[in-house]
Amino acid sequence: NYLKIFSPATVANVSCGFDALGLALETVGDTMTFTKTITKGVKITKITGADLPSDPQINAAGVVALAMLEKHPVDFGIDITIHKGYTPGSGLGSSAASAAGAAFGVNQLLGNSFSPLELTQFAMLGEEATCGTPIADNVSAAIYGGFTLVRSYKPLSIVKIPVPADLRVVAIHPQVEVKTKDSREVLPKEVSLKDAVTQWANVGGLISGLYTNDYQLIADSLTDIIVEPARKHLIPHFDEVKQQAIKAGALGAGISGSGPTIFTLCKGDATAENVYKTIQNTYQDKQIDFNMILSKINTEGI
Ligand code: HSE
């Protein structure tokens, strides 16, 4: 009758895989509770850690919960509390963490009626309500854990990709606002065949590297020649951070989702700590507040 869960923050795109790849973090995310109530319907009784609407019709978690109860009517209601463990608008899938968490939590109270794929579909409704587009990269990573590939949107098909054990994520979240909507408006409408070939070859290389623990192949493939060049001007000091991170040993660096967070992948704790310190030093004198993250990859999902 009561459930408490942790729903992870996620890095979408992972450089070359725009709207198709995501990964889940172990140490950053939302904590949510779900309680069965006598009064029917969905109520968001408490939100801490961020200023978000508690009306379930417009809250990412509420939208998802309502859709699930409509599909699977029951004679009880559900109260939800949300503690946001990180800032919305960071590019770390904040709305996705709440949406995916709601899908998972409500499903438990409904006796596990829906599959992970169906939960992803419900969670996408929360993304649509908050960002305007029903993107699956963040929510699938939160639900399945590890790396996920959205292999197809219609019909929805999600592939869970294995995670090499030594992979770490170091990220910096500069406190500037980048709205997903704005960040999608700067994208090119068309790409050349030459660029498309480079990009899909890198996606293949990255996936292959993850399956075979080939860190060099992961490093070589972790580039984005289509989306990153169009967006990076929205993120202060992006090039400098990326350059310094790679110099300090990161396998690669890129924009987390639609930004402004910059993520890096690193092999092993020592390198990750070095990259962490290097990025921190790079940003120290920039007059912009920022948060740093060092995390393992969450392989289990919610
Ligand atoms: N793939 C999305 C984007 C991230 O880059 O706009 C938000 O889900």
Side-chain angles (χ1 to χ4, degrees):
N1 292 350
Y2 170 84
L3 179 74
K4 187 175 182 181
I5 61 149
F6 175 78
S7 186
T10 46
V11 172
N13 303 341
V14 199
S15 290
C16 46
F18 176 70
D19 278 2
L21 281 176
L23 68 82
L25 300 181
E26 197 169 89
T27 53
V28 190
D30 291 353
T31 306
M32 301 173 75
T33 67
F34 301 84
T35 311
K36 268 191 196 178
T37 58
I38 294 166
T39 320
K40 283 192 179 186
V42 173
K43 254 205 300 188
I44 299 177
T45 54
K46 195 162 95 178
I47 302 175
T48 51
D51 188 20
L52 292 170
S54 60
D55 178 352
Q57 308 276 356
I58 50 173
N59 178 288
V63 168
V64 173
L66 287 170
M68 292 174 80
L69 290 185
E70 200 180 303
K71 189 85 186 265
H72 190 292
V74 283
D75 60 0
F76 57 84
I78 298 180
D79 278 4
I80 302 175
T81 71
I82 307 171
H83 176 68
K84 301 296 300 176
Y86 62 111
T87 332
S90 55
L92 288 164
S94 174
S95 56
S98 297
F104 183 92
V106 170
N107 190 42
Q108 295 292 309
L109 296 191
L110 296 181
N112 244 317
S113 301
F114 297 108
S115 69
L117 191 68
E118 288 170 316
L119 296 184
T120 307
Q121 257 152 344
F122 280 120
M124 286 164 70
L125 298 174
E127 289 290 71
E128 187 171 23
T130 47
C131 324
T133 322
I135 311 170
D137 47 11
N138 291 105
V139 288
S140 62
I143 288 169
Y144 288 78
F147 281 79
T148 46
L149 169 71
V150 186
R151 210 261 321 143
S152 154
Y153 272 85
K154 276 193 177 138
L156 187 66
S157 165
I158 307 290
V159 183
K160 185 169 175 173
I161 315 287
V163 181
D166 291 339
L167 217 50
R168 301 287 179 271
V169 178
V170 175
I172 176 166
H173 171 211
Q175 312 278 307
V176 294
E177 195 182 6
V178 177
K179 291 201 176 103
T180 299
K181 198 171 159 288
D182 299 338
S183 189
R184 289 180 85 82
E185 266 165 19
V186 301
L187 298 174
K189 299 276 175 288
E190 289 174 359
V191 296
S192 70
L193 185 60
K194 189 167 156 280
D195 284 355
V197 170
T198 304
Q199 193 88 349
W200 62 52
N202 279 323
V203 174
L206 176 57
I207 301 285
S208 175
L210 292 169
Y211 268 94
T212 57
N213 299 309
D214 186 338
Y215 290 92
Q216 188 56 52
L217 182 55
I218 293 170
D220 293 344
S221 309
L222 208 61
T223 61
D224 169 11
I225 61 160
I226 295 172
V227 174
E228 186 178 296
R231 279 181 168 170
K232 64 180 185 177
H233 69 277
L234 299 170
I235 300 161
H237 313 292
F238 176 80
D239 282 330
E240 189 182 346
V241 169
K242 180 173 175 171
Q243 220 176 45
Q244 293 298 326
I246 291 172
K247 218 165 114 188
L251 299 168
I255 304 168
S256 176
S258 56
T261 292
I262 305 169
F263 83 98
T264 75
L265 292 185
C266 303
K267 183 187 178 187
D269 291 321
T271 307
E273 275 155 29
N274 194 34
V275 169
Y276 183 105
K277 278 190 210 125
T278 303
I279 296 178
Q280 197 174 35
N281 288 340
T282 307
Y283 237 84
Q284 212 86 64
D285 59 354
K286 303 296 191 209
Q287 322 275 320
I288 298 172
D289 288 339
F290 61 92
N291 292 328
M292 295 292 305
I293 292 165
L294 194 168
S295 178
K296 286 188 179 172
I297 291 173
N298 170 336
T299 54
E300 299 301 322
I302 302 165

